[in-house]
Amino acid sequence: MNTLVGSDGGRGASPKRGNSHARRVLVEGAWAYRYPAKVSRHLQLRLEKVPKAIQDISWKAQVRLCKRYRRLVARGKNVNQVVVAIAREMAAFVWAIAQEVAVAH
């Protein structure tokens, strides 16, 4: 499976394939999922300009990834590995949003 953060075919070290900037941005963004899913007033104002389908995908991602972060940490997984796992899944949601935008145009 090709994603922005790469694929190592299973277990092992975090892969270093793909765009390093995209990988870094995804990992930095994944740290936000330590906190509960919510829509702040500032975010709500930005979301008003976004199509409903993309809003739905983004909310689904936020709820799922926050829950997954808590579940993996509760199982005793290393926090850095959890964040990389969240970043990988976040890349899939970014892809889904990109597909939605491509269909809209």
Side-chain angles (χ1 to χ4, degrees), residues 2-8 13-31 80-92 94:
N2 292 328
T3 64
L4 290 175
V5 292
S7 173
D8 65 353
S14 172
K16 301 298 186 281
R17 287 187 257 167
N19 185 311
S20 62
H21 181 69
R23 186 172 56 247
R24 185 179 144 269
V25 168
L26 285 167
V27 170
E28 288 292 324
W31 281 104
N80 291 326
Q81 289 177 332
V82 170
V83 169
V84 170
I86 298 299
R88 284 180 60 98
E89 193 163 342
M90 195 165 64
V94 169

